Amino acid sequence: MTPTVIRAHSAETWVETAAEFCASTISEAVNRTGRCAILLAGGDTPRAVYERLAQEPFASNVPWAQTVVVFGDERLVPPDDARSNQQMAHRALLNALPLPPEHILAVDTRQPAAAAAASYESMLRTFFHLAEGQLPVFDLVLLGMGTDGHTASLFPEMAAIDETTRLIVATPAPDPAGPARITVTLPVINAGHTVLFLVRGADKAPVARRVLRSADPADTALPAARVQPTAPDGRLVWIVDEAAAAEL
Ligand code: 6PG
């Protein structure tokens, strides 16, 4: 699928463009099906977009009560740890919104990684009433990208990127000193209706070129390059700032 690349010409425009895109996608999904299921990205980049979505007009105009939130990946750290993706999302967005608590599917990070992945997958299967082999279809999948081309916690040359049947798997982080993680798998991401990469900063420019412009097998093998939504009316969109787009 050919990605749509939206270039924002300032930091403020990048945030506003991303927030408006998310808001309209959520509203369209709720108008179409009565619900919107969102897969949230972690890391630092989305924070400003989440904070903007918690402000007006989005706080009032987006049908948050019909929205379900799932975390695309999480580090196995205590909930109050600064590295927690869930903590970031709650502080930046979720605490300010009228989402029913049962619409926020929390990762239990008190368990060992494999158990945490298995229980989160079980929670997804139950919540979305998935038959064996059935994938959840997220209306909006939010992703960031690392400078190594990882996305969610699917890292280059690690086993999780090649998982084809599980929805959620445990994976070590490349940094051996870092916490283990759980992550959605590529089939779940690619089943998404709208997949949106939020990428900004000069440090992401080289890998953005590799993912978006290169046919080199070493580049097309990068996790972010393997995000190729398969839905018939699916969308793959990148919202980038000028710094991240410098090599495109
Ligand atoms: C995570 C994220 C990860 C993130 C990239 C980019 O848990 O770290 O899910 O995929 O999106 O590492 O991180 P930054 O946005 O902080 O650059």
Side-chain angles (χ1 to χ4, degrees), residues 132-150:
E132 191 56 39
Q134 188 182 4
L135 294 170
V137 177
F138 287 96
D139 301 286
L140 177 58
V141 176
L142 297 180
L143 295 172
M145 181 178 64
T147 55
D148 62 352
H150 83 259

Side-chain angles (χ1 to χ4, degrees), residues 117 121 125 132 135 153-155 157-171 183-190 226:
E121 172 157 338
R125 290 195 176 282
E132 191 56 39
L135 294 170
S153 285
L154 301 172
F155 296 99
E157 298 171 17
M158 296 183 89
I161 186 61
D162 293 319
E163 173 62 43
T164 57
T165 55
R166 298 282 308 279
L167 307 182
I168 306 285
V169 293
T171 180
T183 182
V184 290
T185 56
L186 200 56
V188 174
I189 293 173
N190 285 336
R226 292 177 60 179

Side-chain angles (χ1 to χ4, degrees), residues 41-46 73 75 85 143-146 150-153 181 204:
D44 295 331
T45 300
D73 67 326
R75 298 86 178 269
N85 286 335
L143 295 172
M145 181 178 64
H150 83 259
T151 191
S153 285
R181 300 174 174 221
K204 304 290 175 73

